[in-house]
Amino acid sequence: MAQAKPTTQPKFLPRIDGTSTSTNTHVATASGNPFESEEEQEIFSKRRLPLKMPSNYSGDLQHLNVSNNWLVCMLSTPQGRCNLLRIFLPRAIPPGETALDKYLAGYKITNIFQDNTGHHLIIVLVPKHPGVSSDFLYIQCSETPEKQQLKERRIEKFKDHEITSVAFNRYHGKELTTGSILLGTSRGLIFETELGSVNDSTQRKQLYDLGLGLNKYPINGLEVLKVPNSNRWIVVAVTPDAIYSFEDTLRPEERSLQPIFSSYVNGEREPQCEKQKTDLTYSMLRFFAPPSSQYPKQWAWLCGAGIRIGELSIDASSNATLLGDTLINLDFVKVKHLSYEERRTIVPKSFVLTEYHAVLLYADHIKAVCLLNQELVYHEVFEEARVGKLISIERDMGTGAIYVYTNKMTFTLKICREERNIWRIYLNKGQYELATAHAAEVPEHLQLVLMQRAEAAYKEGAYEAAANYYAETEETFETVCLKFTILQDKRPIISYVKKRLSRLTMSDDGDKQADALKALIIWLIDLYLTQINLPGKEKAWRDDWQAEYDEFMRETPVLACTSLHRTAVQQLIGEHADPHNLAQFAISISDYEEVIGQQLKAERYAEALQTLSKQSDLSLYYKYAPQLMEHLPKQTIDALIAQGSKLDIDKVVPTLIVIDTQVQREQVTRYLEFAVYDLNTTNDAIHNFLLHLYAKHQPKLLMDYLEIQGRDETLIHYDIHFALKVCTDLGVKKACVFLQCLLCMWTTAVDLALEFDMGLAKETASKPQDNETRRKLWLRIAYHEIKGTDDVKKALSLLKECDLLRIEDLLPFFSDFEKIDNFKEAICDALRDYNQRIQELQREMAESKEQSTRVCKELGQLRAHSITMKAQDACDICDRILLVKPFFVFICGHKFHSDCLEKQVLPILSKEHNRRLGMLKQEMEALMAQTVTQANHTPEQQKKRADLKAEIEEILAADCLYCGLLIETIDQPLVDDWDQVNVEWE
């Protein structure tokens, strides 16, 4: 049989050769037939557990419990002694033992309860004779690698109460304390207590009374649970005829379980209760949780009707606790009239729960029943003569291991892939989702499930679902297609083919099946176009198919295939006479030129522009934008602007010449403004074009444009002469004045401004930097204002506006008969101004004379000034003896060798002085080379040599290095070439 996914299994001890196995054993296969023969390992198999008992231990096994790999057993000897043995099954720690004889006088042990950590034991003591109170022992266990320590003590607080069930707190329990736990008694009482070695004074709290005063109403099962990821707590209790559940939400810091029962004790609500008529004197409660989980998945209750199976709620807000209503019928009704010996073989003594099975223990055999179909899958008979009398069966909640024990031996019940045929059970029950989930790991099983599910869906008329299931099977493509092609609805066949296409594209050999891939895609396109263009259908119906078709065509494998076989696809779409989808396909394969051409030919300009905007080939903008501009100017310009700087402005110019209508002109202007102001283009043609449109249609905006461009000719991007010609031809005088100012045509600009705006003329006349030019311009303005009018007020106003004009400049513009009285004040102001200027000139002359006298005196002193050089004087640069080499001495007292000074001065000199100094040195060297061979130097050579030397010294020693040159360069950076410095430092 195919291998299923392995589940986490406990580590079992190795099989012991020679152990007894019953000859009456028969094992059911996974299909549920106990007589079917399969060559595979059984689901359940019994193995003896070899326990190494101490040499002084002998006797019958009375009780056994296993938790977290800690096995606790009770041994009784023929002499009446009773010993407790605690064994760690991995055998890493020596066994722990203790004698309980001193506690058993008049008592017998009815049960052992062990917590989930394996460190806390409760042993129930029941009196053998009337008149003695029930009792129980608590044993706290601890261990080291060398030994174990068992501390037992009698709990006096629970005298007169027979403990029949214990609910350990797996959430708060630790090795030193149990935390708050619940105890159920034979009279239906539920107590809370906490046991441990930390506090010997045990407290008890009665939380609830299920027996309501009855002397015999045992609580046979009790469990405390906490819903994951919440503070909701659940308590489940069972009695022989009922199962109860309590729930409440506790505070996170709450450690007591009493608040769970508070609302029930106060009568605010009643516990959830399910009664079950029974003839049994007991019942059992079992839970199944994976070994790594603290919250069970399933619960089971052995009651009078059989075994009730269900799940536990994990919804923190739900009031329901125990979910499910599955019953495994054990035919208890038939046993009422049987004898005790007959009943003991029919009624189970105990049972445990696994994920998919319930394992029941009877007086002489065990059997396992599948929870899903109640089939018997395992049956094992224990011969009492060989293995002893069966006592009970236990499951370690920590590891999941199952233990069966008799009074002589202990066995483990190994589980081997109990889920192996669960998929088949779900399949037979028609629960296909669960069957698929459990068969997913075995391809053969999964194919059977999918095939049966597909056939069932097809028979039920769920054709689309059936198509999806068939697509996951290995059924031949032709067979499935024949099933669906006969249907009028094409949705199932399309779904099936798409699923098969998806499987084909995801397979490793997809490249080898290129022909099949092409065939499927072409067929799907044909099916979609048939549905889209089907006559007589509503628009919403077509739109739905169109949307699905568009999504299909955008898939990567489809796009790659259709691009490769574009001719065939275009031919197919053309046969369906579908221009819209033909255009969309051309767009998908980036054949935009063809699409736009067809759309323009059909005069669908809006669609053409939309297609143009979707594509990324900029050359198509240059090609089709002029044509679109004729019909959709605003939308075309919007598309051009949306491309921003991607477009080449020079190539867009042909689009911009379409300005036949006002709308086109406005949109062209809008794009030119975008190019100038947003893209910051420097293209002269664009600027000249915009300027021309402004001058012709929007003169006010022209002046704003000219002001933005500024008055620096180097930063202006339009042709000034072209602009002046355009403005002159169109009569934009103000712009002409502005442009003439740029060309320094001041006289022309002022004359033009005088024709229409005196303020502009005055503003223009004030702009030249040359005072003489400004004076002349203001004289022209004065002439224009005064000549012929003899308006004295205007003349006086001009004198105030321009400080370069004088009254004598304006007098010639007045007539000869003008009275001088009108100019009296202005003439007096002019005379006073002349007088002030004369006084200033006299003062300047006196200062100049004084300064020249002082300079002559200083020159006389300099002629007599001398500097005495001493033999120990040193160069201020190199600190060496000064007199050993040619040197310079400055009047400030600094002294330098000639070569030292030259090295320091050269980097400071300007480029022009550096170049001149190099030329002088070359001439000096050439002159020296000529005179070397001559004994006597000519006067001309001597004079030239003296002149060259004087000029060289003038450059090098023009000023003291420390007192002049370095001070002048203090504002210069210390490093000019940081890149070179970084390279040198590295």
PDB file of all heavy atoms in Angstrom, residues 518 521-522 525-526 529 549 553 558-559 561-576 581-582 585-586 588-589:
ATOM      1  N   LYS A 518       0.175  26.130 -27.262  1.00  0.00           N
ATOM      2  CA  LYS A 518      -0.389  26.996 -28.292  1.00  0.00           C
ATOM      3  C   LYS A 518      -1.823  26.596 -28.609  1.00  0.00           C
ATOM      4  O   LYS A 518      -2.719  27.452 -28.719  1.00  0.00           O
ATOM      5  CB  LYS A 518       0.482  26.921 -29.545  1.00  0.00           C
ATOM      6  CG  LYS A 518      -0.109  27.640 -30.747  1.00  0.00           C
ATOM      7  CD  LYS A 518       0.694  27.376 -32.005  1.00  0.00           C
ATOM      8  CE  LYS A 518      -0.009  27.970 -33.227  1.00  0.00           C
ATOM      9  NZ  LYS A 518       0.723  27.639 -34.477  1.00  0.00           N
ATOM     10  N   ILE A 521      -4.273  27.658 -25.790  1.00  0.00           N
ATOM     11  CA  ILE A 521      -4.480  29.105 -25.729  1.00  0.00           C
ATOM     12  C   ILE A 521      -5.334  29.584 -26.897  1.00  0.00           C
ATOM     13  O   ILE A 521      -6.275  30.378 -26.716  1.00  0.00           O
ATOM     14  CB  ILE A 521      -3.120  29.824 -25.700  1.00  0.00           C
ATOM     15  CG1 ILE A 521      -2.409  29.542 -24.365  1.00  0.00           C
ATOM     16  CG2 ILE A 521      -3.285  31.322 -25.908  1.00  0.00           C
ATOM     17  CD1 ILE A 521      -1.015  30.101 -24.279  1.00  0.00           C
ATOM     18  N   ILE A 522      -5.048  29.078 -28.114  1.00  0.00           N
ATOM     19  CA  ILE A 522      -5.839  29.482 -29.281  1.00  0.00           C
ATOM     20  C   ILE A 522      -7.286  29.049 -29.106  1.00  0.00           C
ATOM     21  O   ILE A 522      -8.232  29.804 -29.422  1.00  0.00           O
ATOM     22  CB  ILE A 522      -5.237  28.881 -30.562  1.00  0.00           C
ATOM     23  CG1 ILE A 522      -3.830  29.450 -30.817  1.00  0.00           C
ATOM     24  CG2 ILE A 522      -6.141  29.155 -31.763  1.00  0.00           C
ATOM     25  CD1 ILE A 522      -3.796  30.911 -31.127  1.00  0.00           C
ATOM     26  N   ILE A 525      -9.017  31.351 -26.602  1.00  0.00           N
ATOM     27  CA  ILE A 525      -9.334  32.641 -27.214  1.00  0.00           C
ATOM     28  C   ILE A 525     -10.587  32.525 -28.070  1.00  0.00           C
ATOM     29  O   ILE A 525     -11.479  33.387 -28.038  1.00  0.00           O
ATOM     30  CB  ILE A 525      -8.138  33.148 -28.031  1.00  0.00           C
ATOM     31  CG1 ILE A 525      -6.950  33.475 -27.107  1.00  0.00           C
ATOM     32  CG2 ILE A 525      -8.522  34.375 -28.860  1.00  0.00           C
ATOM     33  CD1 ILE A 525      -5.699  33.848 -27.840  1.00  0.00           C
ATOM     34  N   ASP A 526     -10.669  31.424 -28.836  1.00  0.00           N
ATOM     35  CA  ASP A 526     -11.836  31.207 -29.678  1.00  0.00           C
ATOM     36  C   ASP A 526     -13.104  31.049 -28.837  1.00  0.00           C
ATOM     37  O   ASP A 526     -14.164  31.612 -29.169  1.00  0.00           O
ATOM     38  CB  ASP A 526     -11.608  29.964 -30.538  1.00  0.00           C
ATOM     39  CG  ASP A 526     -12.759  29.725 -31.501  1.00  0.00           C
ATOM     40  OD1 ASP A 526     -13.103  30.645 -32.262  1.00  0.00           O
ATOM     41  OD2 ASP A 526     -13.337  28.616 -31.470  1.00  0.00           O
ATOM     42  N   LEU A 529     -14.048  34.557 -27.380  1.00  0.00           N
ATOM     43  CA  LEU A 529     -14.600  35.476 -28.384  1.00  0.00           C
ATOM     44  C   LEU A 529     -15.977  35.038 -28.837  1.00  0.00           C
ATOM     45  O   LEU A 529     -16.846  35.878 -29.150  1.00  0.00           O
ATOM     46  CB  LEU A 529     -13.646  35.567 -29.575  1.00  0.00           C
ATOM     47  CG  LEU A 529     -12.287  36.223 -29.284  1.00  0.00           C
ATOM     48  CD1 LEU A 529     -11.390  36.176 -30.514  1.00  0.00           C
ATOM     49  CD2 LEU A 529     -12.480  37.662 -28.839  1.00  0.00           C
ATOM     50  N   TYR A 549     -11.953  37.633 -20.212  1.00  0.00           N
ATOM     51  CA  TYR A 549     -11.055  37.465 -21.354  1.00  0.00           C
ATOM     52  C   TYR A 549      -9.836  38.379 -21.228  1.00  0.00           C
ATOM     53  O   TYR A 549      -8.694  37.955 -21.496  1.00  0.00           O
ATOM     54  CB  TYR A 549     -11.820  37.749 -22.633  1.00  0.00           C
ATOM     55  CG  TYR A 549     -10.949  37.839 -23.866  1.00  0.00           C
ATOM     56  CD1 TYR A 549     -10.426  36.695 -24.454  1.00  0.00           C
ATOM     57  CD2 TYR A 549     -10.646  39.072 -24.443  1.00  0.00           C
ATOM     58  CE1 TYR A 549      -9.622  36.774 -25.593  1.00  0.00           C
ATOM     59  CE2 TYR A 549      -9.853  39.158 -25.568  1.00  0.00           C
ATOM     60  CZ  TYR A 549      -9.338  38.013 -26.142  1.00  0.00           C
ATOM     61  OH  TYR A 549      -8.538  38.095 -27.255  1.00  0.00           O
ATOM     62  N   MET A 553      -5.906  37.211 -21.095  1.00  0.00           N
ATOM     63  CA  MET A 553      -4.899  37.627 -22.071  1.00  0.00           C
ATOM     64  C   MET A 553      -3.719  38.324 -21.408  1.00  0.00           C
ATOM     65  O   MET A 553      -2.646  38.420 -22.020  1.00  0.00           O
ATOM     66  CB  MET A 553      -5.534  38.555 -23.104  1.00  0.00           C
ATOM     67  CG  MET A 553      -6.562  37.884 -23.998  1.00  0.00           C
ATOM     68  SD  MET A 553      -5.862  36.578 -25.032  1.00  0.00           S
ATOM     69  CE  MET A 553      -4.956  37.533 -26.228  1.00  0.00           C
ATOM     70  N   VAL A 558       0.258  33.287 -21.421  1.00  0.00           N
ATOM     71  CA  VAL A 558      -0.604  33.588 -22.575  1.00  0.00           C
ATOM     72  C   VAL A 558       0.005  34.720 -23.397  1.00  0.00           C
ATOM     73  O   VAL A 558       0.039  34.663 -24.639  1.00  0.00           O
ATOM     74  CB  VAL A 558      -2.016  33.959 -22.081  1.00  0.00           C
ATOM     75  CG1 VAL A 558      -2.895  34.357 -23.260  1.00  0.00           C
ATOM     76  CG2 VAL A 558      -2.635  32.791 -21.326  1.00  0.00           C
ATOM     77  N   LEU A 559       0.482  35.736 -22.731  1.00  0.00           N
ATOM     78  CA  LEU A 559       1.083  36.869 -23.433  1.00  0.00           C
ATOM     79  C   LEU A 559       2.316  36.438 -24.215  1.00  0.00           C
ATOM     80  O   LEU A 559       2.526  36.867 -25.357  1.00  0.00           O
ATOM     81  CB  LEU A 559       1.437  37.960 -22.424  1.00  0.00           C
ATOM     82  CG  LEU A 559       1.834  39.324 -22.993  1.00  0.00           C
ATOM     83  CD1 LEU A 559       0.705  39.887 -23.828  1.00  0.00           C
ATOM     84  CD2 LEU A 559       2.185  40.276 -21.858  1.00  0.00           C
ATOM     85  N   CYS A 561       2.961  33.393 -25.400  1.00  0.00           N
ATOM     86  CA  CYS A 561       2.564  32.532 -26.520  1.00  0.00           C
ATOM     87  C   CYS A 561       1.921  33.349 -27.635  1.00  0.00           C
ATOM     88  O   CYS A 561       2.231  33.156 -28.818  1.00  0.00           O
ATOM     89  CB  CYS A 561       1.615  31.444 -26.011  1.00  0.00           C
ATOM     90  SG  CYS A 561       1.062  30.306 -27.296  1.00  0.00           S
ATOM     91  N   THR A 562       1.019  34.250 -27.292  1.00  0.00           N
ATOM     92  CA  THR A 562       0.351  35.043 -28.334  1.00  0.00           C
ATOM     93  C   THR A 562       1.316  35.987 -29.030  1.00  0.00           C
ATOM     94  O   THR A 562       1.154  36.281 -30.217  1.00  0.00           O
ATOM     95  CB  THR A 562      -0.814  35.829 -27.718  1.00  0.00           C
ATOM     96  OG1 THR A 562      -0.331  36.592 -26.593  1.00  0.00           O
ATOM     97  CG2 THR A 562      -1.910  34.905 -27.243  1.00  0.00           C
ATOM     98  N   SER A 563       2.303  36.470 -28.311  1.00  0.00           N
ATOM     99  CA  SER A 563       3.318  37.322 -28.959  1.00  0.00           C
ATOM    100  C   SER A 563       4.118  36.517 -29.972  1.00  0.00           C
ATOM    101  O   SER A 563       4.482  37.029 -31.041  1.00  0.00           O
ATOM    102  CB  SER A 563       4.248  37.921 -27.902  1.00  0.00           C
ATOM    103  OG  SER A 563       3.532  38.721 -27.001  1.00  0.00           O
ATOM    104  N   LEU A 564       4.373  35.252 -29.637  1.00  0.00           N
ATOM    105  CA  LEU A 564       5.140  34.394 -30.531  1.00  0.00           C
ATOM    106  C   LEU A 564       4.319  34.006 -31.759  1.00  0.00           C
ATOM    107  O   LEU A 564       4.849  33.868 -32.863  1.00  0.00           O
ATOM    108  CB  LEU A 564       5.604  33.155 -29.767  1.00  0.00           C
ATOM    109  CG  LEU A 564       6.560  32.216 -30.488  1.00  0.00           C
ATOM    110  CD1 LEU A 564       7.870  32.931 -30.812  1.00  0.00           C
ATOM    111  CD2 LEU A 564       6.839  30.985 -29.634  1.00  0.00           C
ATOM    112  N   HIS A 565       3.019  33.844 -31.570  1.00  0.00           N
ATOM    113  CA  HIS A 565       2.139  33.418 -32.668  1.00  0.00           C
ATOM    114  C   HIS A 565       1.118  34.521 -32.958  1.00  0.00           C
ATOM    115  O   HIS A 565      -0.088  34.253 -33.063  1.00  0.00           O
ATOM    116  CB  HIS A 565       1.429  32.117 -32.288  1.00  0.00           C
ATOM    117  CG  HIS A 565       2.358  31.006 -31.888  1.00  0.00           C
ATOM    118  ND1 HIS A 565       3.119  30.294 -32.795  1.00  0.00           N
ATOM    119  CD2 HIS A 565       2.671  30.510 -30.656  1.00  0.00           C
ATOM    120  CE1 HIS A 565       3.848  29.393 -32.153  1.00  0.00           C
ATOM    121  NE2 HIS A 565       3.601  29.503 -30.855  1.00  0.00           N
ATOM    122  N   ARG A 566       1.580  35.718 -33.071  1.00  0.00           N
ATOM    123  CA  ARG A 566       0.683  36.868 -33.203  1.00  0.00           C
ATOM    124  C   ARG A 566      -0.142  36.823 -34.479  1.00  0.00           C
ATOM    125  O   ARG A 566      -1.299  37.233 -34.512  1.00  0.00           O
ATOM    126  CB  ARG A 566       1.482  38.158 -33.139  1.00  0.00           C
ATOM    127  CG  ARG A 566       2.513  38.341 -34.244  1.00  0.00           C
ATOM    128  CD  ARG A 566       3.252  39.664 -34.077  1.00  0.00           C
ATOM    129  NE  ARG A 566       4.004  39.680 -32.828  1.00  0.00           N
ATOM    130  CZ  ARG A 566       4.571  40.765 -32.336  1.00  0.00           C
ATOM    131  NH1 ARG A 566       4.460  41.907 -32.984  1.00  0.00           N
ATOM    132  NH2 ARG A 566       5.245  40.711 -31.202  1.00  0.00           N
ATOM    133  N   THR A 567       0.435  36.278 -35.555  1.00  0.00           N
ATOM    134  CA  THR A 567      -0.295  36.238 -36.826  1.00  0.00           C
ATOM    135  C   THR A 567      -1.530  35.368 -36.717  1.00  0.00           C
ATOM    136  O   THR A 567      -2.631  35.753 -37.156  1.00  0.00           O
ATOM    137  CB  THR A 567       0.628  35.723 -37.942  1.00  0.00           C
ATOM    138  OG1 THR A 567       1.792  36.553 -38.012  1.00  0.00           O
ATOM    139  CG2 THR A 567      -0.088  35.742 -39.279  1.00  0.00           C
ATOM    140  N   ALA A 568      -1.370  34.200 -36.105  1.00  0.00           N
ATOM    141  CA  ALA A 568      -2.509  33.291 -35.962  1.00  0.00           C
ATOM    142  C   ALA A 568      -3.587  33.892 -35.063  1.00  0.00           C
ATOM    143  O   ALA A 568      -4.786  33.773 -35.350  1.00  0.00           O
ATOM    144  CB  ALA A 568      -2.032  31.955 -35.397  1.00  0.00           C
ATOM    145  N   VAL A 569      -3.153  34.556 -33.982  1.00  0.00           N
ATOM    146  CA  VAL A 569      -4.128  35.151 -33.068  1.00  0.00           C
ATOM    147  C   VAL A 569      -4.854  36.303 -33.744  1.00  0.00           C
ATOM    148  O   VAL A 569      -6.084  36.445 -33.631  1.00  0.00           O
ATOM    149  CB  VAL A 569      -3.419  35.617 -31.778  1.00  0.00           C
ATOM    150  CG1 VAL A 569      -4.402  36.327 -30.854  1.00  0.00           C
ATOM    151  CG2 VAL A 569      -2.805  34.430 -31.044  1.00  0.00           C
ATOM    152  N   GLN A 570      -4.130  37.138 -34.472  1.00  0.00           N
ATOM    153  CA  GLN A 570      -4.772  38.258 -35.167  1.00  0.00           C
ATOM    154  C   GLN A 570      -5.761  37.760 -36.209  1.00  0.00           C
ATOM    155  O   GLN A 570      -6.846  38.324 -36.392  1.00  0.00           O
ATOM    156  CB  GLN A 570      -3.709  39.146 -35.812  1.00  0.00           C
ATOM    157  CG  GLN A 570      -2.923  39.991 -34.816  1.00  0.00           C
ATOM    158  CD  GLN A 570      -1.794  40.768 -35.464  1.00  0.00           C
ATOM    159  OE1 GLN A 570      -1.254  40.348 -36.482  1.00  0.00           O
ATOM    160  NE2 GLN A 570      -1.423  41.883 -34.867  1.00  0.00           N
ATOM    161  N   GLN A 571      -5.400  36.680 -36.882  1.00  0.00           N
ATOM    162  CA  GLN A 571      -6.304  36.114 -37.878  1.00  0.00           C
ATOM    163  C   GLN A 571      -7.567  35.578 -37.219  1.00  0.00           C
ATOM    164  O   GLN A 571      -8.679  35.778 -37.715  1.00  0.00           O
ATOM    165  CB  GLN A 571      -5.589  35.007 -38.654  1.00  0.00           C
ATOM    166  CG  GLN A 571      -6.442  34.383 -39.761  1.00  0.00           C
ATOM    167  CD  GLN A 571      -5.685  33.305 -40.515  1.00  0.00           C
ATOM    168  OE1 GLN A 571      -4.494  33.091 -40.275  1.00  0.00           O
ATOM    169  NE2 GLN A 571      -6.358  32.625 -41.426  1.00  0.00           N
ATOM    170  N   LEU A 572      -7.403  34.927 -36.039  1.00  0.00           N
ATOM    171  CA  LEU A 572      -8.564  34.383 -35.330  1.00  0.00           C
ATOM    172  C   LEU A 572      -9.490  35.502 -34.854  1.00  0.00           C
ATOM    173  O   LEU A 572     -10.718  35.428 -35.018  1.00  0.00           O
ATOM    174  CB  LEU A 572      -8.094  33.548 -34.138  1.00  0.00           C
ATOM    175  CG  LEU A 572      -9.189  32.990 -33.221  1.00  0.00           C
ATOM    176  CD1 LEU A 572     -10.112  32.052 -33.986  1.00  0.00           C
ATOM    177  CD2 LEU A 572      -8.565  32.266 -32.026  1.00  0.00           C
ATOM    178  N   ILE A 573      -8.924  36.551 -34.274  1.00  0.00           N
ATOM    179  CA  ILE A 573      -9.751  37.664 -33.802  1.00  0.00           C
ATOM    180  C   ILE A 573     -10.414  38.360 -34.984  1.00  0.00           C
ATOM    181  O   ILE A 573     -11.579  38.795 -34.901  1.00  0.00           O
ATOM    182  CB  ILE A 573      -8.895  38.658 -32.994  1.00  0.00           C
ATOM    183  CG1 ILE A 573      -8.275  37.954 -31.775  1.00  0.00           C
ATOM    184  CG2 ILE A 573      -9.727  39.840 -32.531  1.00  0.00           C
ATOM    185  CD1 ILE A 573      -7.335  38.833 -30.980  1.00  0.00           C
ATOM    186  N   GLY A 574      -9.701  38.457 -36.094  1.00  0.00           N
ATOM    187  CA  GLY A 574     -10.296  39.067 -37.282  1.00  0.00           C
ATOM    188  C   GLY A 574     -11.481  38.265 -37.793  1.00  0.00           C
ATOM    189  O   GLY A 574     -12.462  38.834 -38.288  1.00  0.00           O
ATOM    190  N   GLU A 575     -11.419  36.945 -37.717  1.00  0.00           N
ATOM    191  CA  GLU A 575     -12.546  36.107 -38.145  1.00  0.00           C
ATOM    192  C   GLU A 575     -13.782  36.347 -37.293  1.00  0.00           C
ATOM    193  O   GLU A 575     -14.908  36.153 -37.748  1.00  0.00           O
ATOM    194  CB  GLU A 575     -12.131  34.636 -38.096  1.00  0.00           C
ATOM    195  CG  GLU A 575     -11.097  34.267 -39.143  1.00  0.00           C
ATOM    196  CD  GLU A 575     -10.614  32.833 -38.978  1.00  0.00           C
ATOM    197  OE1 GLU A 575     -11.058  32.180 -38.021  1.00  0.00           O
ATOM    198  OE2 GLU A 575      -9.813  32.367 -39.816  1.00  0.00           O
ATOM    199  N   HIS A 576     -13.576  36.737 -36.036  1.00  0.00           N
ATOM    200  CA  HIS A 576     -14.713  37.043 -35.172  1.00  0.00           C
ATOM    201  C   HIS A 576     -15.207  38.474 -35.368  1.00  0.00           C
ATOM    202  O   HIS A 576     -16.174  38.874 -34.694  1.00  0.00           O
ATOM    203  CB  HIS A 576     -14.331  36.834 -33.704  1.00  0.00           C
ATOM    204  CG  HIS A 576     -14.306  35.393 -33.284  1.00  0.00           C
ATOM    205  ND1 HIS A 576     -15.416  34.722 -32.821  1.00  0.00           N
ATOM    206  CD2 HIS A 576     -13.291  34.484 -33.276  1.00  0.00           C
ATOM    207  CE1 HIS A 576     -15.094  33.471 -32.528  1.00  0.00           C
ATOM    208  NE2 HIS A 576     -13.807  33.299 -32.794  1.00  0.00           N
ATOM    209  N   ASN A 581     -11.214  43.971 -29.505  1.00  0.00           N
ATOM    210  CA  ASN A 581     -10.243  43.003 -28.993  1.00  0.00           C
ATOM    211  C   ASN A 581      -9.032  42.877 -29.902  1.00  0.00           C
ATOM    212  O   ASN A 581      -7.945  42.532 -29.436  1.00  0.00           O
ATOM    213  CB  ASN A 581     -10.913  41.634 -28.808  1.00  0.00           C
ATOM    214  CG  ASN A 581     -11.812  41.601 -27.584  1.00  0.00           C
ATOM    215  OD1 ASN A 581     -11.403  42.015 -26.505  1.00  0.00           O
ATOM    216  ND2 ASN A 581     -13.034  41.136 -27.741  1.00  0.00           N
ATOM    217  N   LEU A 582      -9.215  43.156 -31.185  1.00  0.00           N
ATOM    218  CA  LEU A 582      -8.057  43.181 -32.074  1.00  0.00           C
ATOM    219  C   LEU A 582      -7.117  44.305 -31.666  1.00  0.00           C
ATOM    220  O   LEU A 582      -5.883  44.130 -31.630  1.00  0.00           O
ATOM    221  CB  LEU A 582      -8.525  43.349 -33.519  1.00  0.00           C
ATOM    222  CG  LEU A 582      -7.414  43.269 -34.590  1.00  0.00           C
ATOM    223  CD1 LEU A 582      -6.750  41.904 -34.555  1.00  0.00           C
ATOM    224  CD2 LEU A 582      -7.998  43.551 -35.965  1.00  0.00           C
ATOM    225  N   PHE A 585      -5.422  43.359 -28.388  1.00  0.00           N
ATOM    226  CA  PHE A 585      -4.347  42.384 -28.587  1.00  0.00           C
ATOM    227  C   PHE A 585      -3.101  43.069 -29.142  1.00  0.00           C
ATOM    228  O   PHE A 585      -1.974  42.767 -28.731  1.00  0.00           O
ATOM    229  CB  PHE A 585      -4.811  41.282 -29.534  1.00  0.00           C
ATOM    230  CG  PHE A 585      -3.717  40.320 -29.895  1.00  0.00           C
ATOM    231  CD1 PHE A 585      -3.188  39.461 -28.949  1.00  0.00           C
ATOM    232  CD2 PHE A 585      -3.193  40.293 -31.181  1.00  0.00           C
ATOM    233  CE1 PHE A 585      -2.159  38.589 -29.283  1.00  0.00           C
ATOM    234  CE2 PHE A 585      -2.164  39.427 -31.511  1.00  0.00           C
ATOM    235  CZ  PHE A 585      -1.652  38.568 -30.555  1.00  0.00           C
ATOM    236  N   ALA A 586      -3.304  43.976 -30.094  1.00  0.00           N
ATOM    237  CA  ALA A 586      -2.146  44.695 -30.639  1.00  0.00           C
ATOM    238  C   ALA A 586      -1.439  45.478 -29.547  1.00  0.00           C
ATOM    239  O   ALA A 586      -0.203  45.564 -29.518  1.00  0.00           O
ATOM    240  CB  ALA A 586      -2.607  45.630 -31.759  1.00  0.00           C
ATOM    241  N   SER A 588      -1.380  44.607 -26.382  1.00  0.00           N
ATOM    242  CA  SER A 588      -0.718  43.650 -25.491  1.00  0.00           C
ATOM    243  C   SER A 588       0.607  43.174 -26.047  1.00  0.00           C
ATOM    244  O   SER A 588       1.513  42.826 -25.293  1.00  0.00           O
ATOM    245  CB  SER A 588      -1.637  42.449 -25.235  1.00  0.00           C
ATOM    246  OG  SER A 588      -1.832  41.700 -26.433  1.00  0.00           O
ATOM    247  N   ILE A 589       0.731  43.149 -27.386  1.00  0.00           N
ATOM    248  CA  ILE A 589       2.003  42.722 -27.986  1.00  0.00           C
ATOM    249  C   ILE A 589       2.820  43.931 -28.432  1.00  0.00           C
ATOM    250  O   ILE A 589       3.766  43.788 -29.205  1.00  0.00           O
ATOM    251  CB  ILE A 589       1.754  41.766 -29.166  1.00  0.00           C
ATOM    252  CG1 ILE A 589       0.934  42.458 -30.266  1.00  0.00           C
ATOM    253  CG2 ILE A 589       1.070  40.494 -28.689  1.00  0.00           C
ATOM    254  CD1 ILE A 589       0.752  41.613 -31.524  1.00  0.00           C
TER     255      ILE A 589
END
